[in-house]
Amino acid sequence: MAIREIKKYPDPVLKAKTASVVNIDDTLQKLIDDMVETMHAATGVGLAANQVGVPLQLAVIDIGDREEGKPKQPLVVLINPEIISQEGSVVSEEGCLSIPEYTENVKRAKRVKVRAKDRKGKQFELEAEGLMAKALQHEIDHLNGLLFIDRLSPLKKNIFRRKLKKTLAETA
Ligand code: NI
C-alpha cells in the first residue's frame, strides 16, 4: 500500500468526467488499498479516485465512529455508484481533502439510496442518512466533477474564490 498525492482545487482532474470501472483486477485492488490508506492518513471520511488523479468511478468512505450516538460503521468501497433515490433536505457543514482549510454549509438530500458494486464486483444497495448520506452525496459529486463549492450560492462561492486568491498569493 502507498499514500498517493491528493489533488487540490483547482486541479483540472477534479472537474474531469470519470469513466465507469470495467475491469475489477489487481490494479484496481491496489488503487482501492492506496485510496483507503491515503484517506486514513489525511483523516478524511471519504475519497474519490479522481482526487488521487485517477478519473474512474470509484470512491471509498469510512466514517467509523465519528457519528455521535451511532455504532462504528464499516468501510464502504463504491464502484460505479449511483443515487437511485433521495428524499428530504438538510444543511450541514462540509469540507474536502482537495480544498484544505475551507468549510461551508451545504444543502443535501437528507436520505439517499445508492446502488454500487463492492470491491469484488458484487452489486449492493445502501440506504443512509446522517453523515453517511452526506459522504455518499459528496463522493458521488466528485465522480461527476462536482465539488461542494459548486453547490454554494453565487455569493458564498465568490467569497471562497477571493479567499483562495489571497491564499495562493500568500503562498506564491
Ligand atoms: Ni471531497
Side-chain angles (χ1 to χ4, degrees):
M1 293 210 290
I3 292 172
R4 302 205 185 191
E5 183 203 350
I6 298 176
K7 305 293 179 185
K8 304 291 188 321
Y9 178 85
D11 191 310
V13 75
L14 297 169
K15 304 298 287 177
K17 197 172 159 43
T18 56
S20 290
V21 172
V22 179
N23 296 314
I24 299 180
D25 55 13
D26 288 350
T27 308
L28 193 83
Q29 300 302 332
K30 167 99 174 66
L31 174 62
I32 293 168
D33 289 340
D34 287 356
M35 282 171 60
V36 170
E37 192 178 2
T38 305
M39 169 179 67
H40 286 154
T43 64
V45 297
L47 190 68
N50 47 345
Q51 287 183 278
V52 292
V54 182
L56 281 178
Q57 301 213 350
L58 165 68
V60 293
I61 294 174
D62 191 3
I63 65 174
D65 57 6
R66 291 190 200 207
E67 194 159 25
E68 226 175 285
K70 282 197 183 172
K72 190 168 190 254
Q73 297 194 46
L75 172 84
V76 184
V77 175
L78 301 144
I79 294 173
N80 302 338
E82 52 177 333
I83 293 172
I84 52 173
S85 70
Q86 58 182 63
E87 58 176 78
S89 78
V90 64
V91 174
S92 66
E93 195 175 41
E94 286 187 31
C96 180
L97 294 175
S98 293
I99 309 172
E101 289 166 41
Y102 181 74
T103 59
E104 190 49 86
N105 283 326
V106 183
K107 190 177 174 186
R108 300 275 187 192
K110 194 169 182 218
R111 275 180 293 277
V112 292
K113 192 195 257 188
V114 168
R115 182 182 293 148
K117 283 181 177 173
D118 67 15
R119 66 183 300 163
K120 289 176 181 157
K122 189 168 174 281
Q123 187 177 286
F124 68 98
E125 285 180 7
L126 180 60
E127 270 186 87
E129 56 176 47
L131 184 55
M132 181 57 88
K134 174 160 80 173
L136 285 165
Q137 291 171 86
H138 181 112
E139 299 313 324
I140 291 170
D141 263 3
H142 269 300
L143 302 180
N144 292 315
L146 282 174
L147 298 163
F148 80 90
I149 50 169
D150 297 316
R151 297 214 173 258
L152 302 178
S153 67
L155 179 70
K156 279 186 179 168
K157 203 169 175 183
N158 268 332
I159 293 170
F160 165 74
R161 285 214 183 93
R162 261 183 269 137
K163 260 190 198 162
L164 181 79
K165 253 187 212 160
K166 199 166 162 263
T167 312
L168 291 176
E170 279 165 2
T171 54

